Amino acid sequence: MKRRNFIKRASLTGVGIAVGNTLASCAENTSEEAKASQIIKKTSLPLVISTWEVKNATAKAWEVLQSGGSALDAVEQGCNVEESNVINQTVGKGGLPDRDGNVTLDACIMDKYGNCGSVVYLQNITHAVSVARKVMEDTPHVMLAGKGAEQFAISKGFQPEELLTEASKEAWEKWKVKAKYKPIINIENHDTIGMLAIDKGGDISGACTTSGLAYKLAGRVGDSPIIGSGLFVDNEIGAAVATGLGEEVVKTVGSFLIVELMRQGKSPQEACEEAIGRIVSKPDSNYKNFQVGYIAVNKQGETGSYSIHKGFSMTKYQDAKNENLQSEHYT
Ligand code: GLY
């Protein structure tokens, strides 16, 4: 049996991935697999889900998918909408700066083959997610950081521009007056934009983009450019993406965890809940003071979302219907 088939079988039958006993079970479970495939709900494709209420961005991705575009193009172009939206102070142009007044962006993208690209601490370039895609497609690397990432972007034709808007500068100056380093995680509105899509061909891609924690220490990087933490896609199983306090997502490698839980038979909803459970159940967890939220989709097009606190939502386009769904939450 090819390794990939083995992994798929493990997922469909709910069998764990421990090699010793599972190989034996696989042989017996052909009829189980047939039963499992019968009960898989056939979901209509394409579909796209996003963290938070980002209607315009999700609508753009939907437009790409509807016209037969790939999931990869959809998530990139969808995220681009929010990166250009200066009203949204957590992503792209107009993002809130670090404590020294510098806007620094993190983003990543992953395609149906498991290829990925990422940018870290990118300055002066609005469309971080598109630079991440160029890293994935035009270099042998996965991640570029700082000046190197900026120079690479410029070499690929991205125009440098000032990302600190008057509104974000004003907010930063007000924060400075208080002169106290207290990161803000907005639990009611936006944070990282994460987007997962399945195209008409049934292939999955994902992306996420952020200006990171407002007024962070210079040089701080969160989960969003870290493959497996902020985002993970396995085209045979599903995908997950995170929003909220990146440090907590990194410590639990949240998105990879969710995909692996789905591989073992959990629904996207159950997997998101368990990933949040890993954070809140730590003996020293300070979860009352921060937000983390996940969204996930499996290969069958079932979706899930869960957060620590109330206020997180998922935007979903499917069957020409768009919905903003308040997430279930822990507290
Ligand atoms: N989730 C965004 C960050 O922590 O930077």
Side-chain angles (χ1 to χ4, degrees):
M1 189 188 307
K2 284 199 174 116
R3 183 179 167 274
R4 266 305 185 190
N5 288 342
F6 161 65
I7 290 170
K8 252 170 130 176
R9 278 166 187 251
S11 132
L12 287 171
T13 56
V15 176
I17 53 172
V19 175
N21 57 14
T22 309
L23 276 175
S25 320
C26 273
E28 295 157 14
N29 268 333
T30 312
S31 62
E32 281 296 307
E33 183 178 345
K35 271 188 247 154
S37 65
Q38 280 160 18
I39 59 167
I40 287 169
K41 219 169 46 200
K42 288 266 176 270
T43 309
S44 99
L45 299 179
L47 75 87
V48 55
I49 54 174
S50 310
T51 55
W52 306 105
E53 189 166 5
V54 286
K55 190 160 179 277
N56 293 342
T58 319
K60 178 68 203 179
W62 177 250
E63 189 190 306
V64 173
L65 293 167
Q66 279 290 84
S67 61
S70 69
L72 187 66
D73 287 340
V75 294
E76 180 192 5
Q77 291 180 39
C79 286
N80 283 168
V81 169
E82 216 50 44
E83 287 173 334
S84 301
N85 174 12
V86 292
I87 307 296
N88 183 346
Q89 291 182 303
T90 65
V91 178
K93 187 166 180 167
L96 290 169
D98 65 17
R99 62 197 302 181
D100 299 336
N102 299 308
V103 180
T104 67
L105 307 181
D106 299 328
C108 74
I109 193 161
M110 235 180 138
D111 74 8
K112 63 180 177 180
Y113 303 111
N115 295 316
C116 45
S118 152
V119 287
V120 176
Y121 200 86
L122 177 68
Q123 291 180 271
N124 305 315
I125 306 287
T126 298
H127 294 304
V129 87
S130 296
V131 184
R133 183 170 176 176
K134 287 279 180 211
V135 173
M136 174 175 82
E137 291 181 341
D138 294 1
T139 81
H141 309 305
V142 162
M143 189 181 279
L144 290 181
K147 269 282 161 225
E150 186 180 339
Q151 280 159 5
F152 169 75
I154 292 166
S155 78
K156 292 290 169 185
F158 291 84
Q159 291 302 315
E161 59 180 327
E162 178 56 76
L163 301 184
L164 188 65
T165 56
E166 276 310 310
S168 293
K169 192 171 172 204
E170 217 172 279
W172 169 61
E173 275 162 354
K174 274 195 195 139
W175 169 82
K176 265 202 309 184
V177 171
K178 293 185 197 150
K180 195 170 154 201
Y181 177 55
K182 193 167 191 315
I184 296 169
I185 280 293
N186 186 339
I187 63 171
E188 278 154 10
N189 197 352
H190 298 175
D191 179 69
T192 309
I193 301 308
M195 201 175 273
L196 308 172
I198 311 186
D199 57 31
K200 286 182 178 172
D203 290 317
I204 311 174
S205 291
C208 63
T209 183
T210 188
S211 52
L213 195 59
Y215 318 130
K216 59 199 172 189
L217 273 176
R220 179 266 185 192
V221 173
D223 60 311
S224 301
I226 311 295
I227 300 297
S229 291
L231 171 74
F232 197 70
V233 176
D234 182 325
N235 195 35
E236 294 199 11
I237 304 297
V241 70
T243 183
L245 186 61
E247 282 76 357
E248 297 298 324
V249 176
V250 169
K251 285 178 206 167
T252 48
V253 199
S255 295
F256 182 72
L257 172 65
I258 290 169
V259 173
E260 288 306 300
L261 290 167
M262 293 194 291
R263 191 192 307 282
Q264 291 169 32
K266 291 211 183 293
S267 70
Q269 185 61 35
E270 289 167 341
C272 288
E273 289 178 20
E274 185 159 339
I276 291 293
R278 296 281 174 99
I279 296 172
V280 300
S281 62
K282 285 182 179 170
D284 62 345
S285 181
N286 185 27
Y287 70 86
K288 291 210 166 90
N289 295 319
F290 61 80
Q291 174 70 307
V292 171
Y294 291 108
I295 63 171
V297 64
N298 66 13
K299 189 69 175 169
Q300 292 73 44
E302 295 165 317
T303 61
S305 70
Y306 199 66
S307 60
I308 298 177
H309 302 291
K310 194 171 172 204
F312 176 53
S313 66
M314 171 173 80
T315 304
K316 177 172 177 174
Y317 274 64
Q318 188 177 27
D319 287 330
K321 189 166 86 173
N322 71 75
E323 298 173 281
N324 183 253
L325 304 158
Q326 284 303 310
S327 295
E328 300 276 321
H329 49 92
Y330 178 78
T331 58

